[in-house]
Amino acid sequence: MRTSQYILATLKETPSDAEIISHQLMLRAGMIRKLASGLYTWLPSGLKVLRKVENIVREEMNKAGAIEMLMPIIQPADLWQESGRWEQFGPELLRINDRHNRPFALGPTHEEVITEFVRKEISSYKQLPINLYQIQTKVRDEVRPRFGVMRAREFTMKDAYSFHLSEECLDETYRKMHQAYCNVFERLGLDYRPVIADTGSIGGSVSHEFHVLAESGEDAIAFSSESDYAANIEKAEAVAPSIERPAPSKELNRFDTPNAKTIEELKEQHGVKPHRGVKTLIAYGAPNENEERGLVALVVRGDHELNELKAEKLVLVDSPLEFATEEDIVKATGAKPGSLGPVGLTMPIIVDRSAAVMADFVAGANEDGVHYSGINFDRDVTNYVVEDIRNVVEGDASPCGKGVLNIKRGIEVGHIFQLGTKYSEAMKAGVLAESGKNQIMTMGCYGIGVSRIVAAAIEQNHDKYGIKWPTALAPFELAIVPMNMHKSHRIPEIAEKLYADLQAAGVDVLFDDRKERPGVMFNDMELVGVPHTLVIGERNLDNNQVEYKNRITGEKEVIDLDKAIEVLLNHVKG
Amino acid sequence: MRTSQYILATLKETPSDAEIISHQLMLRAGMIRKLASGLYTWLPSGLKVLRKVENIVREEMNKAGAIEMLMPIIQPADLWQESGRWEQFGPELLRINDRHNRPFALGPTHEEVITEFVRKEISSYKQLPINLYQIQTKVRDEVRPRFGVMRAREFTMKDAYSFHLSEECLDETYRKMHQAYCNVFERLGLDYRPVIADTGSIGGSVSHEFHVLAESGEDAIAFSSESDYAANIEKAEAVAPSIERPAPSKELNRFDTPNAKTIEELKEQHGVKPHRGVKTLIAYGAPNENEERGLVALVVRGDHELNELKAEKLVLVDSPLEFATEEDIVKATGAKPGSLGPVGLTMPIIVDRSAAVMADFVAGANEDGVHYSGINFDRDVTNYVVEDIRNVVEGDASPCGKGVLNIKRGIEVGHIFQLGTKYSEAMKAGVLAESGKNQIMTMGCYGIGVSRIVAAAIEQNHDKYGIKWPTALAPFELAIVPMNMHKSHRIPEIAEKLYADLQAAGVDVLFDDRKERPGVMFNDMELVGVPHTLVIGERNLDNNQVEYKNRITGEKEVIDLDKAIEVLLNHVKG
């Protein structure tokens, strides 16, 4: 492709409304343009990258035995009513009426449509298992679309749905999909992690997220230093400390803390180290049979953070977690937040595993402006239960039993899930089992954010000059940059010849034939992220030579003209 | 692919709501399923065919220098307001509101979005011409979706838009697109015709439709027997007869026709041959300066049909054409329709070219139940003009000057159009011209109905057993049908071996490994339209032979097992 006949559309300035680096670089490198909030046009270079991701996903899905089909974007409301999601799904579900005023939704996902399809088409156990997928434009009416294609309203997803007669069969397909996803991210050349997204109560994981690691990632992920274990920080278990709780060595001691309402202030004003104190948070308890909610105290070590997801899963705690109002707290404890503690509380007390092994610690006295030191469980606080209710931190023992946890940030680009019978039961999707009886199918679903991967790849692979594409994703393999071509006779001649020869050899070349200064051309090629560049200039030509540059390694090499194609092919295809 | 691991989804019965053969066969061959009115899921076989069309279209567009990009489906209303189409477009434009109640449309076409894009990105004549295209899901809220994917609400289109500084430059790209479309349909292996869709007043055609010929086509197309001339019957010129009008030989003769109100009844009751009479139709004339519309008479030969599009283009006639009410007709002529004629009419009379060369003809007397014979122009009818206002018929002289017209039916699958400045002017899309002044760009647009081609190909290529795919479109290249595989030891062994060898040789094989009777398997493979079939049965195996069958030619051949791969590859790839 010649830049003169292309829409390169690079920008010198960073658009002011682009907050993250991938959004900035996708705009600057001419990959996307905004049409309206959350709606992006993919320019030629952007689309090429998107299609490369699509094709790798498609190949790995096919290899894993999944079968591609294509469902409509517009979905009838009645299917969503059948599954119950017409009411459950928020305004992210873009609902529309057709000309006859019949209600439809623009699909953010296709569980209902595929379940409707399979219950009509699959009637016998002999046709199972089956794994059907599509690569398609999806719609989600985000309240605040942002970060470019990272959180857009129209985006490309690969969504797959598998149907089974048994959990074991689902497990097998789930494992195949897990492997297929690993293959996809390997082939894309991305640093990624499959991460445990949820742990079932019967043990075994039923959901994994796939994250591309990048400092800008929205999710924090905890990894074992010595195993494959990885989990979203919100889901990672904080294992019970292996140490025993020391015996009390101090008496309970009341001291005035008129200006210390936080762990930080306690440290500054009274020298209490955060890990020697506890935080006491008051939330509403699960409702009783009369739908009345009491209060419940959540106690974590001063340097730890409450994990709300873990807390709200406990039977004592209302879900979703809701912190108590100051009014309710004062009524129940006599003190305002900032002076709360477990001593003397009459409500149920849930103590985090790490707090539960503390002795002689500090906490509020449930009296405004007063704290206790020398608190000890069982002596000063008797009515409590111990649970895992905090976020893990770096250095925690890994729940897998090996090594300690490290924490990195990631961007979620894939999610696989053992759905079970949630949709098939609601929509009565059954088949004739071998027994001759009708049996509800068990389902799995498997998503990859195809357009999001493009942005995530850039978050992970860039420098101050632009994008550093992994080979599998680059929009072009090689750029030809002839310097001051229009002032020379031999440069255009040689450039055209090499362009033709490289194309004939199957290289996807971007030939920068614009009348631009060399600096502008180099900057554009680096911004766009073409991995290999061939520079043609007078000085090297005097020696019958051209120059090769590698975008990723920075490596430069002067090549003899008569060996240029051979050497370049080695770099590009090697 | 093994049928046991596939969704073949063939149907024995023809679904009752499928009116045309392609819709029936696409359902029966397991290519599509209806989700809701006008919304179809593409099953694996259907999607494979759709993608083959897509890829051929993409390759030919790229070859012609067009550049692929991808615009959003959801388009902001303000762009449509700017072009004026928000009001002009009917309810086919599916309008939606997002969660913030902002108006959008689901794109049936992208003139506005691409013009918005280009006016922002292209600023100089140096960047022109440019031809941008996308292959995308489009939405059109048809009032009565029917014929399966032939007229669906969600469908796949290739739409391209080119931008130019001059008509000459547009002409050049237009010709390239015309050629690219011819290449596409050639490669698809379809019998097609580029058809003149409109003739500009300054001569030269500014729009062509591409039709796949099929008896079931909705459009009638007129072809020259001796040139490339082809035009939609509604647009084809009916040239003036080369004969002179004979001199009058009869007197005007009034006769009673109490029960003859139609050409057919005149023939049956009074022996008047249709081509010896004329039909007189009364429509409203173009409004005068006071917005008042008079009436106008349209006279065509009894065996010809009025062409409403031609009539409404005349300055005397109101557009769109509207026939007069019986009340207005009686008031103006004294007679009801059925007894009308040109003699004595006071309104403007427009006579078709072929009627204008008639002598001694028959028409109504503008008195109920009475006709005249022996009518002659200039003697009995003086106040008239002659125009082309009829549909052409088989045998008419071709307007190209060579041969006569034949009429065939076609399905419109492509349309190329010289748009001019319609959108670029309304949306102020200009560039800096070489002169240094701002100049509005000239546009072309080029559409192909990708999903419609799949249906059109079937309308053209089928028999009573199912689809007869052109090679380029077939969902699989070859089917392996092992007869009673599950009762044999050697059949599965040989079938598996040949399956593996054919796949290794790059053949896309459908291996029917179901426990079905041979008849069921043969019927399914013929229905699906796999072009080549390999049959493995005990009897032939006794002689170390297998059988080859060709779906298109019906040819059968017994092959020695040790030469099977070689012979089959010759058939499939040859």
PDB file of all heavy atoms in Angstrom, chain A residues 345-367:
ATOM      1  N   LEU A 345     -19.337  -4.491  71.807  1.00  0.00           N
ATOM      2  CA  LEU A 345     -20.393  -4.425  70.793  1.00  0.00           C
ATOM      3  C   LEU A 345     -21.398  -5.546  71.028  1.00  0.00           C
ATOM      4  O   LEU A 345     -21.016  -6.674  71.349  1.00  0.00           O
ATOM      5  CB  LEU A 345     -19.807  -4.590  69.384  1.00  0.00           C
ATOM      6  CG  LEU A 345     -19.218  -3.364  68.692  1.00  0.00           C
ATOM      7  CD1 LEU A 345     -18.916  -3.709  67.245  1.00  0.00           C
ATOM      8  CD2 LEU A 345     -20.171  -2.173  68.763  1.00  0.00           C
ATOM      9  N   THR A 346     -22.694  -5.227  70.814  1.00  0.00           N
ATOM     10  CA  THR A 346     -23.715  -6.262  71.018  1.00  0.00           C
ATOM     11  C   THR A 346     -24.153  -6.910  69.709  1.00  0.00           C
ATOM     12  O   THR A 346     -24.883  -7.885  69.703  1.00  0.00           O
ATOM     13  CB  THR A 346     -24.951  -5.652  71.699  1.00  0.00           C
ATOM     14  OG1 THR A 346     -25.359  -4.514  70.940  1.00  0.00           O
ATOM     15  CG2 THR A 346     -24.620  -5.234  73.114  1.00  0.00           C
ATOM     16  N   MET A 347     -23.720  -6.331  68.600  1.00  0.00           N
ATOM     17  CA  MET A 347     -24.090  -6.916  67.297  1.00  0.00           C
ATOM     18  C   MET A 347     -23.128  -8.060  66.946  1.00  0.00           C
ATOM     19  O   MET A 347     -22.060  -8.194  67.551  1.00  0.00           O
ATOM     20  CB  MET A 347     -24.013  -5.836  66.212  1.00  0.00           C
ATOM     21  CG  MET A 347     -22.615  -5.298  65.979  1.00  0.00           C
ATOM     22  SD  MET A 347     -22.585  -3.889  64.838  1.00  0.00           S
ATOM     23  CE  MET A 347     -23.233  -2.579  65.872  1.00  0.00           C
ATOM     24  N   PRO A 348     -23.480  -8.902  65.946  1.00  0.00           N
ATOM     25  CA  PRO A 348     -22.539  -9.935  65.509  1.00  0.00           C
ATOM     26  C   PRO A 348     -21.245  -9.287  65.013  1.00  0.00           C
ATOM     27  O   PRO A 348     -21.288  -8.256  64.355  1.00  0.00           O
ATOM     28  CB  PRO A 348     -23.271 -10.619  64.354  1.00  0.00           C
ATOM     29  CG  PRO A 348     -24.712 -10.269  64.515  1.00  0.00           C
ATOM     30  CD  PRO A 348     -24.757  -8.961  65.219  1.00  0.00           C
ATOM     31  N   ILE A 349     -20.113  -9.898  65.354  1.00  0.00           N
ATOM     32  CA  ILE A 349     -18.805  -9.364  64.959  1.00  0.00           C
ATOM     33  C   ILE A 349     -18.116 -10.385  64.060  1.00  0.00           C
ATOM     34  O   ILE A 349     -17.992 -11.556  64.433  1.00  0.00           O
ATOM     35  CB  ILE A 349     -17.930  -9.082  66.200  1.00  0.00           C
ATOM     36  CG1 ILE A 349     -18.645  -8.059  67.098  1.00  0.00           C
ATOM     37  CG2 ILE A 349     -16.550  -8.583  65.794  1.00  0.00           C
ATOM     38  CD1 ILE A 349     -17.977  -7.872  68.459  1.00  0.00           C
ATOM     39  N   ILE A 350     -17.719  -9.912  62.871  1.00  0.00           N
ATOM     40  CA  ILE A 350     -16.990 -10.796  61.951  1.00  0.00           C
ATOM     41  C   ILE A 350     -15.556 -10.275  61.878  1.00  0.00           C
ATOM     42  O   ILE A 350     -15.320  -9.126  61.500  1.00  0.00           O
ATOM     43  CB  ILE A 350     -17.634 -10.798  60.566  1.00  0.00           C
ATOM     44  CG1 ILE A 350     -19.086 -11.296  60.677  1.00  0.00           C
ATOM     45  CG2 ILE A 350     -16.837 -11.665  59.595  1.00  0.00           C
ATOM     46  CD1 ILE A 350     -19.908 -11.064  59.433  1.00  0.00           C
ATOM     47  N   VAL A 351     -14.612 -11.117  62.255  1.00  0.00           N
ATOM     48  CA  VAL A 351     -13.217 -10.707  62.343  1.00  0.00           C
ATOM     49  C   VAL A 351     -12.438 -11.377  61.210  1.00  0.00           C
ATOM     50  O   VAL A 351     -12.575 -12.588  60.980  1.00  0.00           O
ATOM     51  CB  VAL A 351     -12.625 -11.106  63.709  1.00  0.00           C
ATOM     52  CG1 VAL A 351     -11.146 -10.730  63.794  1.00  0.00           C
ATOM     53  CG2 VAL A 351     -13.406 -10.454  64.830  1.00  0.00           C
ATOM     54  N   ASP A 352     -11.683 -10.568  60.503  1.00  0.00           N
ATOM     55  CA  ASP A 352     -10.878 -11.136  59.427  1.00  0.00           C
ATOM     56  C   ASP A 352      -9.813 -12.073  59.992  1.00  0.00           C
ATOM     57  O   ASP A 352      -9.309 -11.881  61.099  1.00  0.00           O
ATOM     58  CB  ASP A 352     -10.193 -10.016  58.627  1.00  0.00           C
ATOM     59  CG  ASP A 352      -9.357 -10.587  57.507  1.00  0.00           C
ATOM     60  OD1 ASP A 352      -9.947 -11.173  56.589  1.00  0.00           O
ATOM     61  OD2 ASP A 352      -8.107 -10.476  57.581  1.00  0.00           O
ATOM     62  N   ARG A 353      -9.460 -13.079  59.186  1.00  0.00           N
ATOM     63  CA  ARG A 353      -8.495 -14.088  59.636  1.00  0.00           C
ATOM     64  C   ARG A 353      -7.196 -13.464  60.147  1.00  0.00           C
ATOM     65  O   ARG A 353      -6.622 -13.935  61.126  1.00  0.00           O
ATOM     66  CB  ARG A 353      -8.141 -15.011  58.472  1.00  0.00           C
ATOM     67  CG  ARG A 353      -9.272 -15.930  58.065  1.00  0.00           C
ATOM     68  CD  ARG A 353      -8.929 -16.559  56.714  1.00  0.00           C
ATOM     69  NE  ARG A 353      -9.845 -17.619  56.366  1.00  0.00           N
ATOM     70  CZ  ARG A 353      -9.791 -18.278  55.213  1.00  0.00           C
ATOM     71  NH1 ARG A 353      -8.858 -17.963  54.310  1.00  0.00           N
ATOM     72  NH2 ARG A 353     -10.641 -19.240  54.942  1.00  0.00           N
ATOM     73  N   SER A 354      -6.732 -12.420  59.475  1.00  0.00           N
ATOM     74  CA  SER A 354      -5.458 -11.822  59.883  1.00  0.00           C
ATOM     75  C   SER A 354      -5.606 -10.970  61.132  1.00  0.00           C
ATOM     76  O   SER A 354      -4.648 -10.830  61.914  1.00  0.00           O
ATOM     77  CB  SER A 354      -4.879 -10.966  58.747  1.00  0.00           C
ATOM     78  OG  SER A 354      -4.597 -11.787  57.648  1.00  0.00           O
ATOM     79  N   ALA A 355      -6.791 -10.387  61.306  1.00  0.00           N
ATOM     80  CA  ALA A 355      -7.027  -9.620  62.542  1.00  0.00           C
ATOM     81  C   ALA A 355      -7.176 -10.565  63.727  1.00  0.00           C
ATOM     82  O   ALA A 355      -6.803 -10.232  64.858  1.00  0.00           O
ATOM     83  CB  ALA A 355      -8.266  -8.748  62.392  1.00  0.00           C
ATOM     84  N   ALA A 356      -7.700 -11.766  63.439  1.00  0.00           N
ATOM     85  CA  ALA A 356      -8.026 -12.698  64.519  1.00  0.00           C
ATOM     86  C   ALA A 356      -6.791 -13.274  65.214  1.00  0.00           C
ATOM     87  O   ALA A 356      -6.896 -13.861  66.291  1.00  0.00           O
ATOM     88  CB  ALA A 356      -8.889 -13.846  63.975  1.00  0.00           C
ATOM     89  N   VAL A 357      -5.604 -13.113  64.592  1.00  0.00           N
ATOM     90  CA  VAL A 357      -4.388 -13.624  65.250  1.00  0.00           C
ATOM     91  C   VAL A 357      -3.621 -12.498  65.953  1.00  0.00           C
ATOM     92  O   VAL A 357      -2.479 -12.689  66.390  1.00  0.00           O
ATOM     93  CB  VAL A 357      -3.453 -14.350  64.257  1.00  0.00           C
ATOM     94  CG1 VAL A 357      -4.129 -15.603  63.721  1.00  0.00           C
ATOM     95  CG2 VAL A 357      -3.024 -13.427  63.128  1.00  0.00           C
ATOM     96  N   MET A 358      -4.249 -11.316  66.063  1.00  0.00           N
ATOM     97  CA  MET A 358      -3.580 -10.200  66.743  1.00  0.00           C
ATOM     98  C   MET A 358      -3.787 -10.290  68.252  1.00  0.00           C
ATOM     99  O   MET A 358      -4.828 -10.737  68.716  1.00  0.00           O
ATOM    100  CB  MET A 358      -4.152  -8.854  66.246  1.00  0.00           C
ATOM    101  CG  MET A 358      -3.846  -8.565  64.778  1.00  0.00           C
ATOM    102  SD  MET A 358      -4.821  -7.191  64.145  1.00  0.00           S
ATOM    103  CE  MET A 358      -3.970  -5.807  64.893  1.00  0.00           C
ATOM    104  N   ALA A 359      -2.796  -9.819  68.974  1.00  0.00           N
ATOM    105  CA  ALA A 359      -2.920  -9.706  70.444  1.00  0.00           C
ATOM    106  C   ALA A 359      -2.554  -8.272  70.816  1.00  0.00           C
ATOM    107  O   ALA A 359      -1.853  -7.574  70.076  1.00  0.00           O
ATOM    108  CB  ALA A 359      -1.982 -10.694  71.135  1.00  0.00           C
ATOM    109  N   ASP A 360      -3.056  -7.812  71.954  1.00  0.00           N
ATOM    110  CA  ASP A 360      -2.678  -6.487  72.489  1.00  0.00           C
ATOM    111  C   ASP A 360      -2.826  -5.377  71.451  1.00  0.00           C
ATOM    112  O   ASP A 360      -1.945  -4.542  71.273  1.00  0.00           O
ATOM    113  CB  ASP A 360      -1.214  -6.497  72.985  1.00  0.00           C
ATOM    114  CG  ASP A 360      -0.959  -7.605  74.000  1.00  0.00           C
ATOM    115  OD1 ASP A 360      -1.892  -7.936  74.765  1.00  0.00           O
ATOM    116  OD2 ASP A 360       0.167  -8.135  74.007  1.00  0.00           O
ATOM    117  N   PHE A 361      -3.981  -5.393  70.725  1.00  0.00           N
ATOM    118  CA  PHE A 361      -4.121  -4.426  69.642  1.00  0.00           C
ATOM    119  C   PHE A 361      -4.958  -3.212  70.048  1.00  0.00           C
ATOM    120  O   PHE A 361      -5.498  -3.146  71.158  1.00  0.00           O
ATOM    121  CB  PHE A 361      -4.682  -5.101  68.388  1.00  0.00           C
ATOM    122  CG  PHE A 361      -6.058  -5.692  68.536  1.00  0.00           C
ATOM    123  CD1 PHE A 361      -7.198  -4.930  68.270  1.00  0.00           C
ATOM    124  CD2 PHE A 361      -6.217  -7.026  68.931  1.00  0.00           C
ATOM    125  CE1 PHE A 361      -8.458  -5.489  68.389  1.00  0.00           C
ATOM    126  CE2 PHE A 361      -7.481  -7.573  69.053  1.00  0.00           C
ATOM    127  CZ  PHE A 361      -8.609  -6.811  68.800  1.00  0.00           C
ATOM    128  N   VAL A 362      -5.024  -2.241  69.098  1.00  0.00           N
ATOM    129  CA  VAL A 362      -5.703  -0.976  69.350  1.00  0.00           C
ATOM    130  C   VAL A 362      -6.979  -0.904  68.526  1.00  0.00           C
ATOM    131  O   VAL A 362      -7.005  -1.341  67.367  1.00  0.00           O
ATOM    132  CB  VAL A 362      -4.768   0.205  68.968  1.00  0.00           C
ATOM    133  CG1 VAL A 362      -5.498   1.556  69.065  1.00  0.00           C
ATOM    134  CG2 VAL A 362      -3.533   0.209  69.865  1.00  0.00           C
ATOM    135  N   ALA A 363      -8.067  -0.342  69.125  1.00  0.00           N
ATOM    136  CA  ALA A 363      -9.314  -0.122  68.376  1.00  0.00           C
ATOM    137  C   ALA A 363     -10.104   0.948  69.094  1.00  0.00           C
ATOM    138  O   ALA A 363      -9.809   1.294  70.260  1.00  0.00           O
ATOM    139  CB  ALA A 363     -10.131  -1.404  68.275  1.00  0.00           C
ATOM    140  N   GLY A 364     -11.128   1.487  68.427  1.00  0.00           N
ATOM    141  CA  GLY A 364     -11.998   2.474  69.042  1.00  0.00           C
ATOM    142  C   GLY A 364     -12.734   1.863  70.234  1.00  0.00           C
ATOM    143  O   GLY A 364     -12.938   0.656  70.330  1.00  0.00           O
ATOM    144  N   ALA A 365     -13.160   2.749  71.152  1.00  0.00           N
ATOM    145  CA  ALA A 365     -13.800   2.276  72.388  1.00  0.00           C
ATOM    146  C   ALA A 365     -15.311   2.431  72.319  1.00  0.00           C
ATOM    147  O   ALA A 365     -15.991   2.318  73.346  1.00  0.00           O
ATOM    148  CB  ALA A 365     -13.225   3.043  73.579  1.00  0.00           C
ATOM    149  N   ASN A 366     -15.843   2.738  71.118  1.00  0.00           N
ATOM    150  CA  ASN A 366     -17.274   3.001  70.962  1.00  0.00           C
ATOM    151  C   ASN A 366     -17.719   4.157  71.846  1.00  0.00           C
ATOM    152  O   ASN A 366     -18.813   4.148  72.430  1.00  0.00           O
ATOM    153  CB  ASN A 366     -18.103   1.732  71.244  1.00  0.00           C
ATOM    154  CG  ASN A 366     -17.771   0.629  70.242  1.00  0.00           C
ATOM    155  OD1 ASN A 366     -17.572   0.905  69.057  1.00  0.00           O
ATOM    156  ND2 ASN A 366     -17.631  -0.594  70.736  1.00  0.00           N
ATOM    157  N   GLU A 367     -16.851   5.134  71.926  1.00  0.00           N
ATOM    158  CA  GLU A 367     -17.130   6.364  72.649  1.00  0.00           C
ATOM    159  C   GLU A 367     -16.351   7.432  71.879  1.00  0.00           C
ATOM    160  O   GLU A 367     -15.147   7.268  71.656  1.00  0.00           O
ATOM    161  CB  GLU A 367     -16.611   6.251  74.095  1.00  0.00           C
ATOM    162  CG  GLU A 367     -17.003   7.424  74.952  1.00  0.00           C
ATOM    163  CD  GLU A 367     -16.405   7.294  76.374  1.00  0.00           C
ATOM    164  OE1 GLU A 367     -16.099   6.145  76.813  1.00  0.00           O
ATOM    165  OE2 GLU A 367     -16.213   8.343  76.998  1.00  0.00           O
TER     166      GLU A 367
END
